[in-house]
Amino acid sequence: MLLTIVAPAVLVAVVIALVVLAKPPYAAIAAMLLVPLPPRFWGSPVFWRRVGVAVLVVLPGALWILYTTTSVATPVPRLAYEAGPLWTGPRPAQFLGTDTRAQAQVLLSDPALLLSLPANCLFGLKRALLLAAGAVGIFGWLDKPLPVPVYAAWAAGAVGLALLVGPTVRSRRMDLALLAFAALLTAWLVALSQYLSWTDVGEVRIYGPQGRYFLPLIPMLALAFERRPADGLAPRTRWAFALVAAIAVLDLAVVPLAASRMY
C-alpha cells in the first residue's frame, strides 16, 4: 500500500526534475509538488517535507544553468551591431552576437528592468495577442499566421469550455493561488532567460518568447480543481468533449491546407 502511494510521487518528482534540468526557467513548476496544501500548511510537517523535496528537485537544474552560463554558454551569432539604449557601458560598443554577461550587466545597472522588461513582454496588448496566437500556432519566423477563423475558434472554444466545465468543478483557493503564482513566476523567468540569451545587448524589448513556451503552465493549474458531485452535470461534460473534438477536427482540416499554401 505504501509503495502504491510513494512510487507515483517519486516518479512525478523525477519527471519535474528532468524538465527543470532541461529547461531551468521552468523551475517554479516544482510548486506542483506542494499541492494539495494541508490545513494550516505553514505549521504542517508534511508541507515542509514537500518543500524539501521541491528544493532537491530544482537544485540540479539551478546548478546546471549556473555552470553553463558561466563556463560553456556560447553566443548566438549576429551581424555586428551597436549596443542598444539600455547599455550603460562605454561606447562605441559593438557586438557580434548575444552576450549573457553583458545583458546581466544591463539588468543589474537598473534592477527595475527585471520587472519592467518581462511585464512589457508578457502584458503589453500587442505582445499578449501575439503570444496568444503563438500558443495556437504561427509558422515560419512568426510571419506566417494561420487563417483568422482558426484563432477565433480557439478563443471561442476556450470561453465555451470554461462555461461548460466551470460548474462541474470547484477550486481549492490556496492551491490555485500558489499554482497561479508559480505560473506567473515561470513566465517571468522564461522572459528574462530570453533577454539574457537571445536578445541583442541593451535592447529595450525582449526578443524570442513565443506562446508555445507557456502551454505547459496551463495543465498545471488543473491540480487546484476537483470534481463536484456528478448529479445533473454529465450533459455539460459531454458537450465539453464535443466542443474540444470540434476544434480538433477544424484544425485537422484547416492547418494542413494553410501550411501547404504557405510553402
Side-chain angles (χ1 to χ4, degrees):
M1 182 62 159
L2 181 60
L3 287 176
T4 60
I5 298 174
V6 173
V10 172
L11 179 60
V12 169
V14 170
V15 169
I16 293 176
L18 292 174
V19 170
V20 174
L21 191 60
K23 299 289 184 182
Y26 289 85
I29 67 172
M32 291 190 291
L33 298 171
L34 306 181
V35 297
L37 293 171
R40 298 184 178 180
F41 61 89
W42 55 88
S44 169
V46 173
F47 171 74
W48 291 109
R49 281 198 296 269
R50 292 176 183 173
V51 170
V53 172
V55 170
L56 291 176
V57 162
V58 169
L59 190 59
L63 294 176
W64 175 248
I65 192 63
L66 181 63
Y67 170 72
T68 56
T69 300
T70 57
S71 303
V72 298
T74 56
V76 178
R78 302 270 165 82
L79 295 176
Y81 65 92
E82 178 68 16
L86 297 182
W87 173 249
T88 56
R91 290 184 183 274
Q94 281 207 337
F95 292 86
L96 297 174
T98 59
D99 190 320
T100 300
R101 292 185 181 180
Q103 289 291 63
Q105 180 181 333
V106 169
L107 295 175
L108 293 176
S109 67
D110 183 4
L113 294 172
L114 292 168
L115 294 177
S116 62
L117 285 172
N120 291 334
C121 174
L122 299 172
F123 304 120
L125 180 59
K126 185 176 179 180
R127 296 296 297 273
L129 290 174
L130 183 62
L131 290 174
V136 176
I138 303 178
F139 285 74
W141 293 96
L142 297 182
D143 59 353
K144 291 180 169 57
L146 293 168
V148 172
V150 174
Y151 299 114
W154 274 91
V159 174
L161 194 62
L163 293 175
L164 287 169
V165 175
T168 71
V169 298
R170 57 189 170 201
S171 65
R172 299 186 300 273
R173 293 183 181 179
M174 291 302 298
D175 290 354
L176 183 59
L178 173 64
L179 294 174
F181 174 76
L184 184 62
L185 178 59
T186 301
W188 177 75
L189 290 173
V190 168
L192 277 184
S193 72
Q194 291 289 286
Y195 190 74
L196 290 169
S197 64
W198 189 253
T199 304
D200 290 350
V201 174
E203 279 298 315
V204 296
R205 66 184 184 90
I206 299 176
Y207 299 169
Q210 300 179 34
R212 60 190 175 89
Y213 295 171
F214 307 108
L215 290 176
L217 306 180
I218 299 174
M220 178 175 72
L221 300 177
L223 296 177
F225 295 88
E226 56 191 9
R227 288 182 59 84
R228 294 181 184 275
D231 297 342
L233 298 177
R236 284 180 172 272
T237 304
R238 287 196 292 269
W239 278 109
F241 279 115
L243 178 61
V244 172
I247 295 174
V249 169
L250 174 67
D251 278 3
L252 288 173
V254 174
V255 172
L257 291 174
S260 67
R261 292 181 179 180
M262 293 174 190
Y263 301 100

